[in-house]
Amino acid sequence: MARSATATIDLSTIAHNLNQVKIFTPTSKVIAVVKADGYGHGIIEVAHALHNADLLGVACIEEAIQLREAGIKTDILLLEGFFETSELAQIEQYDLQTVIHQQAQLDQVCAFQPKNPLTVWIKLDTGMHRLGFVLDQFDAVYQQLQSSSTMATIHAMTHLACSDERNNPLTTAQTNRFKATLTNIDIDRSIAASAAIIGWPETHVDWVRPGLMLYGVSPFADQTGADHQLRAAMLFQSKIIAIKQIKQGESVGYGATWVAQRDSLIGVIAVGYGDGYPRLAPSGTPVLIEGKRVELVGRVSMDMISVDLTDLPGTSIGDTATLWGAQLPVEEIARHCQAIPYQLLCGLTQRVAITYKNGN
Ligand SMILES: Cc1ncc(COP(=O)(O)O)c(C=O)c1O
């Protein structure tokens, strides 16, 4: 039997989720974030499915070039800007837009002389303290860009630190600071990623930047995508490869961390951390066998996990095990492993065969 850990990506759900973004923010344009291989779903296939997005957001020039070389014509934005001056020629060649977030980038972009003017996004730090110009610098940055002959359009964006916490006052503070800085300037703005699109309407300005929600997943720790009418795009599955009976008091797996409290039927599934199943998933993490819930027992190993089939005696070798998907939200698995769904989705390894479908 060929190794059976597979991910099935339903591209029609990604298109559906983009429509949901537009229901949340009907008047905003959408920067669909497809970095990190489309959050593990396959950047090219995802970009095709998102052909109705206004702009695609990537983390680096390599991702942008990958999209262009695959024939993607949608506008593309480098969300972290360029890392080296030499990328400016590629930005022009591949017709990309770039963020600038610090003075060196500003100087380099202003010194660059492209044949066609560039679109540049000024990133402002309103309180996340990761990337971005401090707010007091905005006027000078804007003036310097405007006086450079090579700028077609200048937009402004910021990123929120705590928008996945419903009542965190930092979101309002960041939003107000951003809006106040740009009060007297006619410039397109962008604030919201998924959590703010869902939870903070005041952040829905000219552009929004959804990532996680496009893949059908909730950014809120206590919710799932279905709570926001989103549909999970990834179905991660494998198969049962062995079933064995153990006696009460016997243990399962490395470290003998799980000990049977009764005579137990144990199923072994061909998936492990070598496939991207989280190593820290504890005993008790749910798995579906042919759609029915069972619990993981013992430690996750590189190629295998074990589950307790005692209450599911009809199970056979070859039965399908769902690790996450529409019927078993990745948000729930992430909660069990003290992880975030972003991490699990991006974490599938190359040995997991990905197949694509479009609806049923
Ligand atoms: C600048 C920026 N905008 C938008 C996003 C999308 O965020 P989310 O996946 O939470 O929607 C990210 C993701 O990390 C980001 O870094």
Side-chain angles (χ1 to χ4, degrees):
M1 181 165 73
R3 189 165 172 79
S4 43
T6 59
T8 308
I9 310 295
D10 185 344
L11 296 170
S12 73
T13 65
I14 294 178
H16 163 88
N17 295 332
L18 176 60
N19 283 336
Q20 285 306 115
V21 171
K22 293 184 176 181
I23 290 171
F24 279 107
T25 64
T27 58
S28 305
K29 283 180 267 187
V30 177
I31 307 172
V33 180
V34 298
K35 62 193 172 120
D37 201 25
Y39 287 43
H41 294 66
I43 190 167
I44 292 166
E45 292 80 1
V46 164
H48 280 295
L50 292 169
H51 59 88
N52 284 333
D54 300 287
L55 188 55
L56 298 173
V58 298
C60 57
I61 195 113
E62 290 80 2
E63 293 176 338
I65 293 174
Q66 195 184 349
L67 290 172
R68 283 287 182 256
E69 290 188 340
I72 301 294
K73 302 270 188 286
T74 313
D75 287 337
I76 300 175
L77 171 63
L78 301 177
L79 289 166
E80 292 160 37
F82 50 95
F83 300 88
E84 291 171 12
T85 320
S86 60
E87 292 171 42
L88 282 163
Q90 294 173 304
I91 288 174
E92 183 182 20
Q93 181 189 347
Y94 290 99
D95 191 18
L96 310 176
Q97 304 181 14
T98 186
V99 160
I100 58 167
H101 57 80
Q102 58 190 347
Q103 188 66 39
Q105 288 175 324
L106 174 62
D107 294 339
Q108 287 157 11
V109 89
C110 288
F112 184 57
Q113 296 188 324
K115 290 190 200 69
N116 299 310
L118 299 181
T119 295
V120 171
W121 293 71
I122 303 171
K123 183 154 187 177
L124 291 174
D125 180 5
T126 53
M128 172 96 165
H129 300 138
R130 197 174 59 176
L131 297 184
F133 293 96
V134 297
L135 298 176
D136 291 350
Q137 288 177 298
F138 176 76
D139 288 340
V141 173
Y142 186 66
Q143 292 309 327
Q144 191 176 334
L145 277 176
Q146 267 207 322
S147 56
S148 143
S149 56
T150 58
M151 243 40 74
T153 314
I154 306 170
H155 299 313
M157 63 180 275
T158 193
H159 198 49
L160 300 170
C162 300
S163 53
D164 59 341
E165 296 169 23
R166 296 258 185 203
N167 299 310
N168 194 310
L170 184 56
T171 299
T172 306
Q174 284 192 265
T175 304
N176 291 345
R177 283 176 205 146
F178 184 69
K179 289 182 176 173
T181 304
L182 303 173
T183 322
N184 298 318
I185 287 183
D186 182 18
I187 189 172
D188 272 14
R189 298 139 214 245
S190 176
I191 304 175
S194 296
I197 292 169
I198 295 168
W200 299 85
E202 65 272 37
T203 65
H204 300 175
V205 287
D206 306 291
W207 295 79
V208 291
R209 305 189 308 273
L212 191 68
M213 66 185 295
L214 294 173
Y215 308 97
V217 177
S218 177
F220 295 99
D222 56 351
Q223 292 191 287
T224 65
D227 295 326
H228 319 300
Q229 286 69 53
L230 301 170
R231 297 185 191 148
M234 181 186 286
L235 175 62
F236 183 27
Q237 294 183 310
S238 190
K239 291 196 185 303
I240 299 260
I241 55 166
I243 297 177
K244 63 177 52 194
Q245 190 78 51
I246 65 166
K247 294 210 176 328
Q248 181 181 12
E250 291 180 326
S251 63
V252 172
Y254 286 121
T257 57
W258 185 83
V259 178
Q261 301 301 305
R262 54 180 175 170
D263 291 354
S264 299
L265 192 62
I266 301 298
V268 180
I269 300 168
V271 75
Y273 62 80
D275 303 288
Y277 191 83
R279 161 77 173 74
L280 294 180
S283 292
T285 303
V287 173
L288 302 183
I289 303 298
E290 296 292 333
K292 299 200 183 67
R293 268 182 189 245
V294 296
E295 292 188 352
L296 184 141
V297 295
R299 280 195 191 145
V300 172
S301 44
M302 186 184 289
D303 312 311
M304 286 169 273
I305 59 173
S306 299
V307 289
D308 183 357
L309 298 176
T310 316
D311 298 324
L312 214 57
T315 305
S316 311
I317 289 174
D319 280 359
T320 299
T322 297
L323 293 323
W324 59 72
Q327 307 308 319
L328 182 57
V330 67
E331 296 92 326
E332 186 177 347
I333 305 303
R335 280 196 287 276
H336 275 271
C337 337
Q338 323 271 308
I340 53 173
Y342 298 81
Q343 203 184 336
L344 302 192
L345 296 177
C346 291
L348 293 196
T349 66
Q350 282 192 331
R351 115 176 147 178
V352 177
I354 297 192
T355 54
Y356 291 92
K357 64 175 199 167
N358 234 309
N360 297 322

